[in-house]
Amino acid sequence: MIGDSSSREKAEAFLLREARLLDEAQYEQWLALFTQDAWYWVPSQAGQTSPRDTVSLIYDDRRLLETRVRRLLNPSIHAQNPPSRSSRIVANVTLETDRDDGILETRSKLLLTEYRRNRLRTYAGTAWHRLVRDGKAAFRIASKRVDLIDCDGELEGLVVPL
Amino acid sequence: MGVDAMLTHQSLRRLVEPGRVHRSLYTDPQIFALEMERIFGAAWIYVGHESQVPQVGDFVATRIGLKPIVLVRHEDGKVYALHNQCAHRGAMVVAPEAGNAHEFRCCYHGWTYHTDGRIKSIPLQHGYPACLDPKDPKLAMVQVPRVTSYRGFIFASLATDGPDLQEFLGYAATSLDDMVDRAPDGEIEAAGGVFKHAYNGNWKLYLENLCDAAHPLFVHQSSIEAAKAQADTVHSDGSGEIAVRQMRQNAAPYSFWESQVGIWTYTNGHSFLGDYHDDAKLVAAMNDPVFRDYIAKLEARKGKERAKKILEVRRWNTNVYPNLSFMSQFQQLRVVHPVAPNRTVVYTYNFRLKGAPEAMFEQTIAFANIVNGTGSLVLTDDLETYGRIDAGLSSEGAEWLQIGRGFTSDTADATGGVRGKNSTSEVYIRNMYDAWLTYMTGEGQPVRAAAQ
Ligand code: FES
Ligand SMILES: [Fe+2]
């Protein structure tokens, strides 16, 4: 089972499910995909090695990620009034590691188009997921890193999760 | 007909009244062009910190208004601000954002420059007319005429004369002191990367928001409620802890803003919001082991008495008009770059307090992410607000914007400024318009009623 080709397919199916939850703004279900000590990271620099010594576009531990999701669902979030619609293409999924303790690492490409108030914005980059097996068919996200190609460029506010 | 002919001093003065300003100040391209010339072309503009260019040859790109500038340390040890433009046919010479160079070479025809901007060599020089004199100081990457630093903070002015930096800063310099004095070793360094966030709105909106104590309860309601409902028992590696506490702090009721927080303003448009974050309450809480360690180091270097005095200074945002807003207590510094009447980019830097525990810098980073970050749960609602103002101003509704809050209760301050009765006074906006009028027309006006 370890390293078998179906691991990659299962992981890919999981990533597609995650993207679908975000496209549909099912933020609570999205949050439920993460482990209790997960982190979610969008670096501010290409090749950034640490979220501790350098600022990040987003760096959430579990506590902040929960707060982020709660805010996204709060009716008074001005930056989502009107709400965005978003469309994610997740592709080029590769399995980077597949350990026998049940931990997998995937690399995938993300192309996200966000629509809000007559404007389209595009985000492109590479996502790195560290997944832990949770029972036979499912995974949990232990960490997720998204490297945007314009992470150090001049950006407008980032509200919808990548 | 030039811009000047259309916008006379008199017509500009009609746009600013004691308690209100005309909406065109935020939208009119001609006014924007004049601001770039008369404000950004005259005032001391923050261009960087000494620690960004520590070694000979170090350079960093910046801007003064719309003009691309290179800040560079020359072999004489001095820092120069050079117009990033080739004397030949105008190409931008220095392309990277930062680096080290012993000379600058233009990509187009290979003219090279010394790092103080003088011409070093011109290929095929025999082909140019004899009147092209490489010693001509205008035939150079032209130096910005005045560059001065105050305790490591570098300012430049495109005007050859005017008040010196010290006079320009006035009492606002004490906030820069606060930023540096907090370092046990008495030095700070820019570190930890930079945020660059953009919004569709006028540059003045940014400064007007940062000392606005009346907005958090409305603008930040979503993050306040989200943070308040957040269970403290959930796992945090420390970054979430600081962030959630900061968001909760924005929920302080108006009774707090109107009794414990003050706003102080000074000549040339500067201001600060103070007495807000008490170390005992907030981020660097007194019982936080990192902060205790820091205090011990500060006391060891400066003595107990002096350390106490340093930590007693409690300032939130200080605005140095027209392009700087910083948080001395939290080592954050933002530089405002106007792009167009309705477009602005803000660069945010962090500073490491030399001699403080490294964990303290990690807290600075976590704080930056939530307060100034591009994906912050707080700042993104401010950015949305700037966009809404810009959209609203294009309407044919209210012609005048009200900035009169606290107008009759502003009082003169012992340190030479004018303070609001409490922090929700709009005195700091009136004060910025006093400076605005002075730059734009040569003469201010009493936008601060009681003090005049
Ligand atoms: S434009 Fe720079 S060398 Fe010609
Ligand atoms: Fe705000």
Side-chain angles (χ1 to χ4, degrees):
Chain A
M1 161 114 167
I2 301 301
D4 75 29
S5 67
S6 72
S7 286
R8 198 202 67 83
E9 269 107 66
K10 281 181 190 148
E12 179 169 17
F14 177 80
L15 297 184
L16 297 187
R17 190 171 144 237
E18 186 208 357
R20 179 170 175 169
L21 288 174
L22 286 171
D23 278 357
E24 293 172 355
Q26 305 285 337
Y27 296 123
E28 270 170 344
Q29 285 95 317
W30 176 63
L31 177 66
L33 299 181
F34 288 81
T35 64
Q36 286 305 311
D37 56 354
W39 47 263
Y40 168 56
W41 185 22
V42 184
S44 72
Q45 293 186 0
Q48 187 174 334
T49 53
S50 168
R52 310 207 173 278
D53 61 10
T54 302
V55 294
S56 299
L57 302 181
I58 296 173
Y59 177 67
D60 290 352
D61 59 15
R62 176 76 196 197
R63 207 164 150 198
L64 193 48
L65 187 60
E66 287 187 3
T67 310
R68 181 177 299 276
V69 164
R70 199 174 290 109
R71 170 180 178 250
L72 280 165
L73 298 170
N74 189 299
S76 60
I77 176 170
H78 306 302
Q80 281 291 282
N81 178 18
S84 302
R85 286 199 289 268
S86 59
S87 167
R88 289 163 184 75
I89 306 286
V90 173
N92 306 11
V93 180
T94 53
L95 203 55
E96 300 292 302
T97 50
D98 187 3
R99 297 184 346 204
D100 44 17
D101 60 359
I103 292 179
L104 285 74
E105 281 172 329
T106 61
R107 175 187 186 274
S108 58
K109 286 288 168 184
L110 172 68
L111 182 61
L112 162 58
T113 310
E114 178 189 359
Y115 170 78
R116 182 168 181 256
R117 207 189 270 142
N118 294 314
R119 281 182 67 206
L120 280 179
R121 289 165 67 188
T122 302
Y123 302 92
T126 307
W128 307 84
H129 284 77
R130 190 177 167 91
L131 304 175
V132 291
R133 283 202 169 82
D134 180 31
K136 240 195 172 142
F139 296 102
R140 285 279 174 275
I141 303 169
S143 67
K144 175 178 178 180
R145 168 180 176 147
V146 181
D147 288 301
L148 292 177
I149 56 172
D150 56 351
C151 61
D152 56 355
E154 294 169 355
L155 295 167
E156 293 184 20
L158 206 58
V159 180
V160 168
L162 300 167
Chain B
M1 187 160 56
V3 163
D4 291 24
M6 297 178 72
L7 286 168
T8 61
H9 285 181
Q10 202 184 12
S11 61
L12 286 167
R13 299 184 72 78
R14 275 202 292 270
L15 302 173
V16 179
E17 294 186 0
R20 61 180 202 172
V21 291
H22 196 266
R23 66 172 181 228
S24 60
L25 297 180
Y26 299 84
T27 55
D28 188 314
Q30 292 187 346
I31 289 175
F32 179 81
L34 266 190
E35 288 174 339
M36 293 306 103
E37 186 186 311
R38 296 185 187 168
I39 302 177
F40 283 80
W44 285 98
I45 302 298
Y46 178 80
V47 287
H49 190 263
E50 299 261 3
S51 62
Q52 290 174 276
V53 286
Q55 308 294 332
V56 168
D58 284 350
F59 66 87
V60 57
T62 183
R63 309 175 211 185
I64 296 181
L66 303 178
K67 301 179 199 312
I69 299 287
V70 190
L71 199 66
V72 55
R73 192 174 295 276
H74 185 56
E75 55 211 26
D76 61 4
K78 286 196 204 142
V79 175
Y80 292 85
L82 308 177
H83 287 278
N84 194 356
Q85 186 197 34
C86 182
H88 180 216
R89 274 165 46 201
M92 188 170 98
V93 179
V94 182
E97 276 185 74
N100 183 282
H102 65 279
E103 65 178 24
F104 296 128
R105 176 186 293 161
C106 179
C107 70
Y108 201 176
H109 313 94
W111 288 30
T112 61
Y113 300 87
H114 296 283
T115 49
D116 61 356
R118 282 174 299 126
I119 285 273
K120 190 171 179 184
S121 71
I122 300 178
L124 298 171
Q125 197 180 336
H126 58 271
Y128 293 100
C131 61
L132 188 136
D133 173 12
K135 297 244 152 39
D136 179 352
K138 293 241 170 62
L139 202 69
M141 286 176 71
V142 176
Q143 291 179 0
V144 174
R146 293 189 296 162
V147 180
T148 311
S149 92
Y150 177 78
R151 299 198 70 180
F153 301 94
I154 308 169
F155 293 76
S157 171
L158 292 170
T160 44
D161 48 37
D164 64 24
L165 179 62
Q166 195 85 43
E167 187 190 339
F168 166 83
L169 291 171
Y171 193 76
T174 58
S175 289
L176 293 170
D177 292 337
D178 180 40
M179 192 124 157
V180 181
D181 289 344
R182 285 172 176 269
D185 291 354
E187 250 182 66
I188 59 173
E189 64 177 338
V194 51
F195 285 123
K196 305 166 185 173
H197 44 72
Y199 64 88
N200 288 336
N202 191 264
W203 63 275
K204 297 188 288 298
L205 297 175
Y206 197 83
L207 295 173
E208 289 170 12
N209 185 49
L210 286 181
C211 287
D212 185 320
H215 87 282
L217 275 181
F218 290 101
V219 169
H220 302 304
Q221 191 185 343
S222 65
S223 56
I224 289 169
E225 288 173 3
K228 279 186 155 178
Q230 179 59 50
D232 285 336
T233 47
V234 173
H235 171 79
S236 174
D237 64 13
S239 52
E241 163 70 16
I242 288 175
V244 170
R245 283 175 69 160
Q246 169 56 27
M247 285 185 267
R248 288 174 182 161
Q249 178 77 5
N250 275 336
Y254 283 122
S255 56
F256 172 81
W257 293 103
E258 299 214 315
S259 65
Q260 297 189 38
V261 186
I263 177 87
W264 284 259
T265 73
Y266 296 93
T267 310
N268 298 325
H270 314 325
S271 59
F272 59 78
L273 199 58
D275 275 8
Y276 172 34
H277 282 85
D278 180 337
D279 286 328
K281 293 194 226 115
L282 194 76
V283 171
M286 289 307 195
N287 57 6
D288 177 308
V290 174
F291 199 63
R292 298 215 74 85
D293 184 16
Y294 159 67
I295 294 175
K297 289 195 157 68
L298 192 66
E299 287 176 344
R301 291 301 304 267
K302 310 233 177 191
K304 256 194 153 64
E305 248 335 274
R306 177 83 185 113
K308 187 163 166 276
K309 280 258 170 304
I310 289 168
L311 295 172
E312 265 169 17
V313 179
R314 289 201 300 265
R315 293 188 190 167
W316 185 236
N317 289 307
T318 297
N319 285 348
V320 172
Y321 192 78
N323 86 322
L324 178 63
S325 179
F326 60 99
M327 306 165 109
S328 49
Q329 197 181 344
F330 300 99
Q331 296 88 48
Q332 318 269 301
L333 182 148
R334 318 168 184 95
V335 185
V336 182
H337 297 301
V339 176
N342 60 354
R343 183 78 174 170
T344 307
V345 176
V346 179
Y347 281 33
T348 305
Y349 301 84
N350 310 279
F351 288 82
R352 176 185 276 118
L353 300 177
K354 289 195 179 170
E358 189 58 18
M360 180 122 168
F361 182 63
E362 292 181 4
Q363 293 196 350
T364 298
I365 295 296
F367 182 83
N369 289 347
I370 202 61
V371 172
N372 292 312
T374 309
S376 150
L377 312 189
V378 180
L379 177 112
T380 42
D381 278 327
D382 291 306
L383 296 178
E384 170 70 11
T385 304
Y386 306 142
R388 297 261 193 113
I389 296 171
D390 195 60
L393 289 175
S394 63
S395 87
E396 291 281 308
E399 194 177 345
W400 293 89
L401 314 184
Q402 306 300 323
I403 57 165
R405 195 180 153 75
F407 185 71
T408 55
S409 54
D410 301 338
T411 54
D413 178 68
T415 53
V418 176
R419 63 173 298 180
K421 180 172 171 232
N422 58 52
S423 72
T424 63
S425 169
E426 286 162 343
V427 61
Y428 69 101
I429 303 182
R430 296 189 285 280
N431 185 58
M432 287 195 274
Y433 273 108
D434 187 16
W436 188 92
L437 269 180
T438 307
Y439 284 118
M440 297 290 275
T441 71
E443 199 188 328
Q445 93 171 14
V447 285
R448 300 162 295 177
Q452 301 296 321

